[in-house]
Amino acid sequence: MAVVVRSRSRRRRGALTPEDGETLAEAAELALRLRRPLVLELATAGSDVGHGVASLVGWGQGARAVAACSGVVPILCLVRGPAVSGPALLLGLADVCVATADSFAFLSGPDMVASYTGIHLDIAALGGLAHLERNGVAALAAADASEGWDRIDELLGYLPDHHDALPPTRPTEDPPDRATPELAELVPSDPHASYDVRRVIASLVDDGSLLELRARFAPQVVTALASLGGQPIGVVANQPQALAGTLDIGASQKAARFVRFCDAFNVPLLTLVDTPGFLPGKDLEWRGMIRHGAELAFAYAEATVPRLCLVLRKAYGGAYIVMDSKGMGNDLCYAWPTAEIAVMGAQGAVSVLHRRATPEERARAQARYEAEVCTPWLAAERGYVDHVIEPAETRSALSAGLALLATRREHLVGRKHDTGPL
């Protein structure tokens, strides 16, 4: 069950009147009282100009009420046409937005863009579905409203009604101790070879089924909802197929928001690590890579849900830390025998530590570094990895770990809100 509020697009293309803002606010307040998810169906041409500034105040009151629901009940949005001007910000307030093929959204329309920049674009080129997916506004796409409601229904199947409830158990006949020998072939032993981490996730989770969110936004990180032993989980995974799985600003923001979303609604987290580090570049640094990278570190650090981490292959440098390492407070950390956990790769480390050595000495030092340092065994000896497991026993180990953490509880310290990076 959910509280649903729809804009009336047949009247002035859904332009919001002051009364519409009041209706939106009433729906949000009802969702809070009933502790039910809030679902917005939007097709709006913006604020109704005929009512003047009162229309702006109206949707602002509605936005304030929707914001009050954040972290208390899930906020889902289905946009099935225009969502322009100020009311388009409602898409950003939602936890997950589903957009149909004929939808478009922007704050400033084509005419205003042309007058300010001299660049002429049509509606689709400015804010069509493809752009909404690439910029992360739309987490899921649908052909039409009917399919959009199916996606909303699928989402709700992974989530509790409110933040004080646990996610619903999902029926499955997939044995939790099922062996996964195929993983040894899915992930190449060559640390420079690429593979699709979504196939790894599908092999691990129940019935090979996962619901990926924001697939076209920052694709070097995969964020998906799935289940393990019937328990809904959120999966965060580096994607070697895109930028070798490095983290940049978009990837950090995408993963951080997903971690906070799962943590808010008691969905345990599974993090799959295979990353060489943060993506280098002056443009990224100038745009605030430090601040945005800290978003991901902060999200994991304050998460209180059960957290499992599995190092598949590479785990280097600061990116290893922010991908829910033991230092960030994960509950259980696993690694495959071929995993490489270190400050940097062997070649980079040797170039720093033995910069004056001959090529032959560097080769010997690199081989020694790979054998002694870039292994999960050293990390396990120091307590940074709880268990080194074979790929074939990965699902079984993760299922057992998740079951062990089912009774995990934390004492939450009351505070007005955090001041973490945004």
Side-chain angles (χ1 to χ4, degrees), residues 40-271:
L40 316 175
E41 183 183 297
L42 292 178
T44 173
S47 299
D48 194 325
V49 179
H51 289 268
V53 72
S55 295
L56 299 178
V57 174
W59 85 257
Q61 291 173 335
R64 180 187 181 190
V66 171
C69 294
S70 181
V72 181
V73 297
I75 307 170
L76 309 180
C77 177
L78 171 62
V79 56
R80 52 171 184 77
V84 302
S85 190
L89 295 175
L90 293 171
L91 278 61
L93 292 180
D95 294 317
V96 179
C97 177
V98 181
T100 60
D102 60 345
S103 63
F104 56 91
F106 42 71
L107 291 176
S108 302
D111 292 342
M112 185 171 294
V113 170
S115 65
Y116 273 81
T117 68
I119 299 174
H120 296 271
L121 301 168
D122 60 22
I123 287 175
L126 181 60
L129 176 59
H131 297 287
L132 296 180
E133 288 185 284
R134 281 195 289 268
N135 63 27
V137 172
L140 292 167
D144 51 31
S146 177
E147 184 181 334
W149 280 106
D150 289 340
R151 306 311 295 271
I152 294 288
D153 188 55
E154 188 178 1
L155 274 165
L156 290 174
Y158 289 100
L159 302 174
D161 285 343
H162 52 85
H163 72 310
D164 285 329
L166 293 175
T169 301
R170 296 176 62 84
T172 180
E173 296 182 0
D174 196 350
D177 58 351
R178 168 174 55 82
T180 53
E182 66 278 6
L183 289 176
E185 298 181 0
L186 287 178
V187 179
S189 57
D190 180 358
H192 303 292
S194 179
Y195 64 93
D196 189 351
V197 78
R198 289 171 295 190
R199 297 180 63 190
V200 175
I201 300 171
S203 177
L204 291 173
V205 301
D206 295 339
D207 307 308
S209 177
L210 63 145
L211 179 61
E212 185 177 358
L213 303 181
R214 299 182 175 91
R216 298 184 66 184
F217 171 55
Q220 63 268 44
V221 167
V222 171
T223 53
L225 293 168
S227 66
L228 189 62
Q231 167 69 58
I233 60 171
V235 182
V236 180
N238 301 116
Q239 174 60 289
Q241 280 191 337
L243 296 177
T246 53
L247 297 178
D248 63 3
I249 290 176
S252 299
Q253 292 176 319
K254 173 182 176 178
R257 184 173 187 184
F258 183 75
V259 167
R260 291 172 65 90
F261 171 62
C262 291
D263 185 52
F265 297 111
N266 308 313
V267 179
L269 286 162
L270 168 62
T271 305

